[in-house]
Amino acid sequence: MNKIPLKGVIAYPVTPFDHHENVDIPLFKKQVERLVQSGSHAIAPLGSTGVLPYLNDSEKEALTEATIQQVAGRVPTLVGVSNLTTERTIYHAQFAEKAGATAVMIIPMSYWKLTDDEIVQHYDAVSSKISIPIMAYNNPATSGVDMSTTLLKRLLQIPNVTMIKESTGDVQRMHLLRKELGEEVAFYNGSNPLALAAFAAGAHGWCTAAPNLIPELNIALYNAVMDNNLEKARKIFYKQADLLRFIVAKGLPRSVKAGLDLLGVGGGAFRSPLKPLSDEEITELDSILSTIKGGVTV
Amino acid sequence: MNKIPLKGVIAYPVTPFDHHENVDIPLFKKQVERLVQSGSHAIAPLGSTGVLPYLNDSEKEALTEATIQQVAGRVPTLVGVSNLTTERTIYHAQFAEKAGATAVMIIPMSYWKLTDDEIVQHYDAVSSKISIPIMAYNNPATSGVDMSTTLLKRLLQIPNVTMIKESTGDVQRMHLLRKELGEEVAFYNGSNPLALAAFAAGAHGWCTAAPNLIPELNIALYNAVMDNNLEKARKIFYKQADLLRFIVAKGLPRSVKAGLDLLGVGGGAFRSPLKPLSDEEITELDSILSTIKGGVTV
Amino acid sequence: MNKIPLKGVIAYPVTPFDHHENVDIPLFKKQVERLVQSGSHAIAPLGSTGVLPYLNDSEKEALTEATIQQVAGRVPTLVGVSNLTTERTIYHAQFAEKAGATAVMIIPMSYWKLTDDEIVQHYDAVSSKISIPIMAYNNPATSGVDMSTTLLKRLLQIPNVTMIKESTGDVQRMHLLRKELGEEVAFYNGSNPLALAAFAAGAHGWCTAAPNLIPELNIALYNAVMDNNLEKARKIFYKQADLLRFIVAKGLPRSVKAGLDLLGVGGGAFRSPLKPLSDEEITELDSILSTIKGGVTV
Amino acid sequence: MNKIPLKGVIAYPVTPFDHHENVDIPLFKKQVERLVQSGSHAIAPLGSTGVLPYLNDSEKEALTEATIQQVAGRVPTLVGVSNLTTERTIYHAQFAEKAGATAVMIIPMSYWKLTDDEIVQHYDAVSSKISIPIMAYNNPATSGVDMSTTLLKRLLQIPNVTMIKESTGDVQRMHLLRKELGEEVAFYNGSNPLALAAFAAGAHGWCTAAPNLIPELNIALYNAVMDNNLEKARKIFYKQADLLRFIVAKGLPRSVKAGLDLLGVGGGAFRSPLKPLSDEEITELDSILSTIKGGVTV
């Protein structure tokens, strides 16, 4: 097993619904296919973008299977299996492994703020039940708990925990990760507006929903960094900065689905209480996408 | 129907588990019985204290039925039915009504931060499917969304939304509620350390897990306020202030269960990843409870 | 010497300027006279309201002397002598004592965040050079440092430090002060919107600029609390809540001066870069004051 | 006049005191000389590092003159002239210009939070009285006001305001500056730990006290960026990251002076209430400096 099977642009699909608010698997597969064909380096269903917490168990299973079937081994898959209870997290992690996922992503969901020991035991319990790599995900805004570098160091000693996704939105945290956890730590950036700063800081990859809308620019940024061409990377980053800021400000599912509609792919409907962007916001997004399209020759 | 059927000390039971992490209904009923017998003015299962988000649907239903059966109409019941999706919220609200709940409590859970319109539509959809009162609950730390007084004013225009629970921890918000929503607005305090300030500000009631441990002091505080005796209220409040601060700082389920164990009632086990307090914390709680017991003559 | 010479409503005058931006001492004296005559229990020049940090040394001295001369012993005076350097703080504290001040107020101004030891040494150095009481003032928003109860406990062991003014805006801090520092600790509330909650919590006094505009209501609130009449206190508090919120939101010097103009007293001009409220804001203030005046029969 | 006369590493000297807490001009000149000789691209006295707010007018004037005399035109000088009042800011700006400063730096100090209009009038008033460039400085932690890009756009329309120093510590603000104010906006990074991210984002320069201790690494980082060599820049950045984090965490005057003592240059004494680092902190700094020295071959 490759312990660190992910790098580059890790693309997060949305979860489309039909007009009865049921998951639309055929549209989902079409969206996944686009992500693979446009050059994404990995596919990550059931993340925040994929509204994981709004889905029931059988929907999660269907989306896991649909992803792996559609990707068909062309690139790695990273399946979100986070759950408030340890028991359900193990259940979904085992399901993902059996279905053929390359790795699983786990955030320590915390309605009640977890202690460091509780978090270690949670990851440890899951790790002992699977044999594929785990990406530990730090996003205090979502999980309610901010994992210190001391805690992350403990997590990395658990056999399958080999990767860290960092989404505090503060590039200094990435510097600290690398200083504290060693130069070779595999950390991934989950904050879109930090894409350039994170790659400059040495991130292995970028976890992002943006390839649903502007895959060429996302991948070109990564390539410029790999080519050690900072000037080009900066130029490419600023071309997409408005879009990255917009999708974060408006919420990833809402803005990515609106963008997919604008691009003619179809984003699918929402599950209540989530609703589409307003007409005004859609017009703003259209304008950002048009400006980018007009200027893209990367 | 009484549109505002709640006042005074609204007691929140924990959800005890057995050592296989299954819900322990007999112990739960015993705990509810204690709350009723010690004089609580209402019983509110399936709140944060009751670890609502960690339970599956059938567990929620069993706890709802157990509460209503045990309370047997002696005091009102307020059942938590919050859910990320509108569909599941309606489902549980209807279940609670059918089971005989006096009212339901709904917080706008928000993995993806909801817009004001989405929140209004959410409450409106639930309200249209039931005919018992709804308490709208504002707790940005938990829900991820801070409902403005403007939004709360909109919610109060929805037929069944008649009560507001406020847990920002800032007493100025209660002042604002009363100024903006009218002197007669039925607002309830959900922040234990603010108990005195909230009653001073005119709160109708106090939503609290503390009656599991110190019901006499909780009720005595309310009575002193009703008697317009500020000096007595202040004195009684300071007697319980350490306990209120402790249970909030350590997490309500952990600290209340530890306290129930110390009192010989039995708090029940936890569902992973949540674990009990440390021995050191239990000793601290024991000392706080002993100090209170030594001095209680309200 | 009375070690705790202050209680009740401690009134903060503004510092009026003429149209050359020089301090207008005659107008200042007139404003101080109004504060004394309207029943304030103490007068506190050179606070934030008095734009202390915008004044040079000789202006501070002139305002200190003008206050003490005008008050003429009718009520105690509390003179602000805070300064970034210890040397200047000592200088102004000695000046105030010599001029006849009852007590001095000192906030640990911190361009560079001070350590606990630095703060203790600062107060200790000042205390050793004077023999009147010191009020230690905690206001992290202004000073950049939030003094813990542990630190305040250390400060209270310094001979002349006998009083604490608390302005974090969080009533829980007052509860903590009283629990940690003992029931008899003399703490004062510096957050206008918390006036009711702070008195309910046991504050000795209320440090406020509001008596420049609505002295009757401010003093009536204190009297209702002294009479142990919570219902009356609540009613009186809500009458003034809008005004208290407004003056804090818009800045005390700007809003109090605008109010003094509206009342026909004259607030005086500003020192640049500070400018008056906008016309729109003045209209809003006028409306708040008119509503209060219409309804005042305390 | 060159409207944007600064780029690269802009070095901030400390202000040394003697043991009577008087400014030590000879030692200051020695420190400035080291900064120039070690290759700094500009010298900036009377910044936060130089404890500007703790100095009186004649001390500020002496330090301004000493800097310009010692630098003797070898590199540009940027003199801090910020003051709470507009009148004093003009005074010091005029003094700096007359003394021969290349440019002045102005932060909108705000004991009372300034409105946008007040800030514009403040800069406008100063600008109209001098004819050298002004660097507008945004640092909400210090000034209490966070200048929006909309406000900065207004400031850049004032004749002499041609440069922006950004110290929110959030690299996204720099992205926004460049998107909103145009690709050619001259922005400077004032947050040491963001040095790499800011240069990646296109900063013209880095305002820093670090050249007092590790000038070779600071300048090497800038050179690597100019050479478009991201890998080298990253490597050099991580060599100095611990030191940059340390001096920010412990306070620039304290840590830089301790480092100058360790390097045998002499940092000078402090003005109370500021005190030196603790022995423990000095040992930590020594270890960081030794590790860097051991590995420096840039």
Side-chain angles (χ1 to χ4, degrees):
Chain A
M1 179 187 80
N2 181 350
K3 289 181 72 72
I4 303 176
L6 301 167
K7 67 171 174 44
V9 176
I10 300 166
Y12 283 64
V14 295
T15 293
F17 298 89
D18 63 24
H19 288 289
H20 297 91
E21 301 202 359
N22 293 314
V23 175
D24 183 342
I25 294 287
L27 180 51
F28 175 75
K29 286 183 158 184
K30 182 181 162 192
Q31 291 166 346
V32 167
E33 182 62 26
R34 278 183 73 246
L35 291 173
V36 175
Q37 290 203 10
S38 60
S40 299
H41 303 107
I43 305 296
L46 296 170
S48 295
T49 305
V51 294
L52 172 73
Y54 298 77
L55 303 171
N56 64 35
D57 287 357
S58 60
E59 291 168 335
K60 293 176 192 174
E61 295 169 15
L63 286 159
T64 300
E65 287 176 330
T67 304
I68 290 162
Q69 189 181 349
Q70 190 67 32
V71 172
R74 288 175 288 175
V75 293
T77 51
L78 171 69
V79 177
V81 299
S82 309
N83 200 286
L84 270 172
T85 71
T86 304
E87 184 268 329
R88 282 289 91 185
T89 309
I90 291 171
Y91 174 86
H92 290 296
Q94 288 181 321
F95 186 93
E97 177 173 16
K98 207 172 300 174
T102 310
V104 291
M105 184 175 75
I106 300 177
I107 190 169
M109 286 186 168
S110 299
Y111 187 89
W112 285 105
K113 196 175 168 340
L114 299 174
T115 64
D116 280 13
D117 285 346
E118 286 171 345
I119 292 173
V120 169
Q121 288 176 50
H122 182 65
Y123 279 96
D124 200 49
V126 180
S127 177
S128 71
K129 299 291 192 183
I130 60 172
S131 54
I132 54 175
I134 296 171
M135 181 184 282
Y137 179 20
N138 189 39
N139 187 345
T142 297
S143 72
V145 61
D146 191 356
M147 296 194 282
S148 66
T149 49
T150 306
L151 172 55
L152 292 172
K153 204 179 262 185
R154 288 177 66 187
L155 293 185
L156 286 171
Q157 286 161 7
I158 297 172
N160 293 311
V161 180
T162 58
M163 303 173 282
I164 292 172
K165 178 178 171 188
E166 162 58 38
S167 291
T168 53
D170 178 3
V171 72
Q172 300 184 39
R173 291 296 287 268
M174 298 180 190
H175 299 153
L176 202 59
L177 278 183
R178 195 170 142 134
K179 290 297 290 189
E180 299 285 314
L181 305 184
E183 285 212 4
E184 295 316 316
V185 64
F187 72 88
Y188 300 79
N189 169 40
S191 173
N192 285 302
L194 284 189
L196 174 64
F199 278 134
H204 271 57
W206 175 18
C207 297
T208 174
N212 288 289
L213 306 182
I214 50 166
E216 301 84 0
L217 282 171
N218 306 143
I219 292 161
L221 173 60
Y222 178 68
N223 290 339
V225 172
M226 289 298 100
D227 292 345
N228 196 30
N229 191 336
L230 176 57
E231 282 177 23
K232 189 172 179 190
R234 182 189 300 135
K235 211 168 154 185
I236 292 169
F237 171 73
Y238 277 111
K239 277 186 187 155
Q240 60 195 295
D242 282 345
L243 192 276
L244 298 179
R245 193 160 43 232
F246 182 91
I247 63 177
V248 169
K250 299 301 179 183
L252 296 169
R254 287 189 197 91
S255 48
V256 170
K257 286 185 175 186
L260 287 169
D261 285 341
L262 288 168
L263 294 173
V265 180
F270 290 81
R271 175 165 283 177
S272 298
L274 294 179
K275 303 288 179 199
L277 291 188
S278 69
D279 289 349
E280 208 169 41
E281 292 168 323
I282 292 171
T283 302
E284 188 185 346
L285 175 57
D286 194 19
S287 152
I288 292 173
L289 284 170
S290 301
T291 304
I292 287 174
K293 197 164 286 181
V296 171
T297 50
V298 286
Chain B
M1 182 187 77
N2 182 351
K3 289 180 73 72
I4 302 175
L6 302 166
K7 67 170 175 42
V9 176
I10 300 164
Y12 282 65
V14 296
T15 293
F17 297 90
D18 63 24
H19 287 286
H20 298 92
E21 301 201 0
N22 293 314
V23 175
D24 183 342
I25 294 286
L27 181 51
F28 175 75
K29 285 184 161 185
K30 181 181 163 193
Q31 292 165 345
V32 167
E33 182 61 26
R34 279 185 72 246
L35 292 173
V36 175
Q37 290 201 11
S38 60
S40 299
H41 303 108
I43 306 296
L46 296 170
S48 295
T49 304
V51 295
L52 172 74
Y54 297 78
L55 303 172
N56 65 34
D57 287 358
S58 60
E59 292 167 335
K60 293 175 193 174
E61 296 170 15
L63 287 158
T64 300
E65 288 176 329
T67 304
I68 291 162
Q69 191 181 347
Q70 189 67 32
V71 172
R74 289 174 287 174
V75 293
T77 52
L78 171 70
V79 177
V81 299
S82 309
N83 200 286
L84 271 172
T85 71
T86 303
E87 185 266 328
R88 283 288 91 186
T89 309
I90 291 171
Y91 175 86
H92 290 295
Q94 289 181 321
F95 186 92
E97 178 173 16
K98 207 171 300 173
T102 311
V104 292
M105 185 176 73
I106 300 177
I107 190 169
M109 286 187 167
S110 297
Y111 187 89
W112 285 105
K113 196 175 168 337
L114 298 174
T115 64
D116 280 13
D117 285 347
E118 287 169 346
I119 291 172
V120 170
Q121 287 175 52
H122 182 65
Y123 280 95
D124 200 48
V126 180
S127 176
S128 72
K129 300 290 192 183
I130 59 173
S131 54
I132 54 176
I134 296 171
M135 181 186 281
Y137 179 20
N138 189 39
N139 187 345
T142 297
S143 72
V145 60
D146 191 356
M147 297 195 282
S148 66
T149 50
T150 307
L151 173 55
L152 292 172
K153 205 180 260 184
R154 289 177 65 187
L155 294 184
L156 286 171
Q157 287 161 6
I158 297 173
N160 293 311
V161 180
T162 58
M163 302 172 283
I164 292 173
K165 178 179 170 187
E166 162 58 37
S167 291
T168 54
D170 178 3
V171 71
Q172 300 184 39
R173 292 295 287 267
M174 296 180 192
H175 300 154
L176 203 58
L177 279 182
R178 194 170 143 135
K179 291 296 290 190
E180 300 285 314
L181 305 184
E183 284 211 6
E184 295 315 315
V185 62
F187 71 89
Y188 300 79
N189 170 41
S191 174
N192 285 303
L194 285 189
L196 174 64
F199 279 133
H204 270 57
W206 175 17
C207 298
T208 176
N212 287 288
L213 306 182
I214 49 165
E216 301 83 1
L217 282 172
N218 307 142
I219 291 161
L221 173 59
Y222 178 67
N223 289 339
V225 172
M226 289 298 99
D227 292 345
N228 196 32
N229 192 336
L230 175 57
E231 282 176 22
K232 189 173 180 190
R234 182 190 300 136
K235 209 169 156 186
I236 292 169
F237 171 72
Y238 278 112
K239 276 187 189 155
Q240 59 194 294
D242 283 344
L243 191 275
L244 299 178
R245 192 160 45 233
F246 181 91
I247 63 177
V248 169
K250 300 301 180 182
L252 295 170
R254 286 188 197 93
S255 47
V256 170
K257 286 185 174 185
L260 288 168
D261 285 342
L262 288 168
L263 294 174
V265 180
F270 290 82
R271 175 165 283 177
S272 298
L274 293 178
K275 305 286 181 203
L277 291 188
S278 70
D279 288 349
E280 208 169 40
E281 292 167 323
I282 291 171
T283 302
E284 188 185 347
L285 175 57
D286 194 19
S287 151
I288 293 172
L289 284 170
S290 301
T291 304
I292 287 175
K293 196 163 287 181
V296 171
T297 50
V298 288
Chain C
M1 180 187 80
N2 181 351
K3 289 182 72 72
I4 302 176
L6 302 166
K7 68 171 175 42
V9 175
I10 300 165
Y12 282 65
V14 296
T15 292
F17 297 90
D18 63 24
H19 288 287
H20 298 92
E21 301 202 0
N22 293 314
V23 175
D24 183 342
I25 294 286
L27 181 51
F28 175 76
K29 286 184 159 184
K30 180 180 163 194
Q31 292 166 345
V32 167
E33 182 61 26
R34 278 185 73 246
L35 291 173
V36 175
Q37 290 202 11
S38 60
S40 299
H41 303 107
I43 305 296
L46 297 170
S48 296
T49 304
V51 295
L52 172 74
Y54 298 77
L55 303 172
N56 64 35
D57 287 358
S58 60
E59 291 167 336
K60 292 176 193 175
E61 295 169 14
L63 287 159
T64 300
E65 287 175 331
T67 304
I68 291 161
Q69 190 182 349
Q70 190 67 33
V71 171
R74 288 174 288 174
V75 294
T77 51
L78 171 69
V79 177
V81 299
S82 310
N83 200 286
L84 271 172
T85 71
T86 303
E87 184 268 327
R88 282 288 93 185
T89 309
I90 291 171
Y91 175 85
H92 290 295
Q94 289 181 321
F95 186 92
E97 178 174 16
K98 208 171 302 175
T102 311
V104 291
M105 185 176 75
I106 300 177
I107 190 168
M109 286 187 167
S110 298
Y111 188 89
W112 286 104
K113 195 176 168 339
L114 299 174
T115 64
D116 280 12
D117 285 347
E118 287 170 345
I119 291 172
V120 170
Q121 288 175 50
H122 182 64
Y123 280 95
D124 200 48
V126 180
S127 176
S128 70
K129 299 290 191 184
I130 60 173
S131 54
I132 54 175
I134 297 172
M135 182 185 281
Y137 179 19
N138 189 39
N139 187 345
T142 297
S143 73
V145 61
D146 191 356
M147 296 194 282
S148 66
T149 49
T150 306
L151 173 55
L152 292 172
K153 205 179 262 185
R154 289 178 65 188
L155 294 184
L156 286 172
Q157 286 160 5
I158 297 172
N160 293 311
V161 181
T162 58
M163 302 172 282
I164 293 172
K165 178 178 171 189
E166 161 58 36
S167 291
T168 55
D170 178 3
V171 71
Q172 300 184 38
R173 292 296 287 268
M174 297 179 192
H175 299 154
L176 203 58
L177 279 182
R178 195 169 142 135
K179 290 298 289 189
E180 300 284 314
L181 305 184
E183 284 213 5
E184 295 316 314
V185 64
F187 72 90
Y188 301 79
N189 169 41
S191 173
N192 285 302
L194 284 189
L196 175 63
F199 277 134
H204 271 56
W206 174 17
C207 298
T208 175
N212 287 288
L213 307 182
I214 50 166
E216 301 84 359
L217 282 171
N218 306 142
I219 292 160
L221 174 58
Y222 178 67
N223 290 338
V225 172
M226 289 298 99
D227 293 346
N228 196 31
N229 192 337
L230 175 57
E231 280 176 24
K232 189 172 179 190
R234 182 189 299 136
K235 210 168 154 185
I236 292 170
F237 171 72
Y238 277 112
K239 276 186 189 156
Q240 60 195 295
D242 282 345
L243 192 275
L244 299 178
R245 194 161 42 233
F246 182 91
I247 62 177
V248 169
K250 300 301 181 183
L252 295 170
R254 287 188 197 91
S255 47
V256 170
K257 286 185 175 186
L260 287 168
D261 285 342
L262 288 167
L263 294 173
V265 180
F270 290 82
R271 176 164 282 176
S272 298
L274 293 179
K275 304 287 180 200
L277 292 188
S278 69
D279 289 349
E280 208 171 39
E281 291 167 323
I282 291 171
T283 303
E284 189 185 346
L285 175 57
D286 194 19
S287 152
I288 292 172
L289 284 170
S290 301
T291 304
I292 287 175
K293 197 163 285 181
V296 171
T297 49
V298 287
Chain D
M1 179 188 78
N2 182 350
K3 288 179 71 72
I4 303 176
L6 302 166
K7 67 168 174 44
V9 175
I10 300 164
Y12 283 64
V14 294
T15 293
F17 297 90
D18 63 24
H19 287 288
H20 298 91
E21 301 203 359
N22 293 315
V23 175
D24 183 342
I25 294 286
L27 180 51
F28 175 75
K29 284 184 160 184
K30 180 180 163 195
Q31 291 165 346
V32 167
E33 181 62 26
R34 279 184 73 245
L35 291 173
V36 175
Q37 290 202 10
S38 60
S40 299
H41 303 108
I43 305 297
L46 296 171
S48 296
T49 304
V51 294
L52 173 72
Y54 298 77
L55 304 172
N56 65 35
D57 287 357
S58 60
E59 291 168 336
K60 293 176 192 174
E61 295 169 17
L63 287 159
T64 300
E65 288 175 330
T67 304
I68 290 161
Q69 190 181 346
Q70 189 68 33
V71 171
R74 288 174 288 174
V75 294
T77 51
L78 171 69
V79 177
V81 298
S82 309
N83 200 286
L84 270 172
T85 71
T86 303
E87 185 267 329
R88 284 287 93 185
T89 310
I90 290 171
Y91 175 85
H92 290 294
Q94 288 181 322
F95 185 93
E97 178 173 16
K98 207 172 300 175
T102 311
V104 291
M105 185 174 74
I106 300 176
I107 191 169
M109 286 186 167
S110 298
Y111 187 89
W112 285 105
K113 196 176 170 334
L114 299 174
T115 65
D116 281 12
D117 285 347
E118 286 170 346
I119 292 172
V120 169
Q121 287 175 51
H122 182 65
Y123 279 96
D124 200 48
V126 181
S127 177
S128 71
K129 300 290 192 185
I130 60 172
S131 53
I132 54 176
I134 296 171
M135 181 184 283
Y137 178 20
N138 189 39
N139 187 347
T142 296
S143 72
V145 61
D146 191 357
M147 296 195 282
S148 67
T149 50
T150 306
L151 172 55
L152 292 172
K153 204 180 262 184
R154 288 176 66 187
L155 294 185
L156 286 171
Q157 286 160 8
I158 296 172
N160 293 312
V161 181
T162 58
M163 302 173 283
I164 293 172
K165 177 177 171 189
E166 161 58 37
S167 291
T168 54
D170 179 3
V171 71
Q172 301 184 38
R173 292 295 288 268
M174 297 180 190
H175 299 153
L176 203 59
L177 278 182
R178 195 171 142 134
K179 290 296 290 189
E180 300 285 314
L181 305 183
E183 285 213 2
E184 295 316 314
V185 64
F187 71 89
Y188 300 78
N189 169 40
S191 173
N192 285 302
L194 284 189
L196 174 63
F199 278 134
H204 271 56
W206 175 16
C207 297
T208 175
N212 287 289
L213 306 182
I214 50 166
E216 302 84 0
L217 282 172
N218 306 143
I219 292 161
L221 173 59
Y222 178 67
N223 290 338
V225 171
M226 289 298 100
D227 292 346
N228 197 30
N229 191 336
L230 176 57
E231 283 177 20
K232 190 173 179 191
R234 182 189 301 136
K235 211 169 154 185
I236 292 169
F237 171 72
Y238 278 111
K239 276 186 189 155
Q240 59 195 293
D242 281 345
L243 191 276
L244 299 178
R245 192 160 44 233
F246 182 91
I247 62 177
V248 169
K250 300 300 179 183
L252 295 169
R254 287 189 198 93
S255 48
V256 170
K257 286 185 174 185
L260 287 169
D261 285 341
L262 288 168
L263 293 173
V265 180
F270 291 82
R271 176 164 283 176
S272 298
L274 293 179
K275 303 288 179 200
L277 291 188
S278 68
D279 289 349
E280 207 170 41
E281 291 168 324
I282 291 171
T283 303
E284 188 186 346
L285 176 56
D286 194 19
S287 152
I288 293 172
L289 284 170
S290 301
T291 305
I292 287 174
K293 196 163 286 181
V296 170
T297 51
V298 287

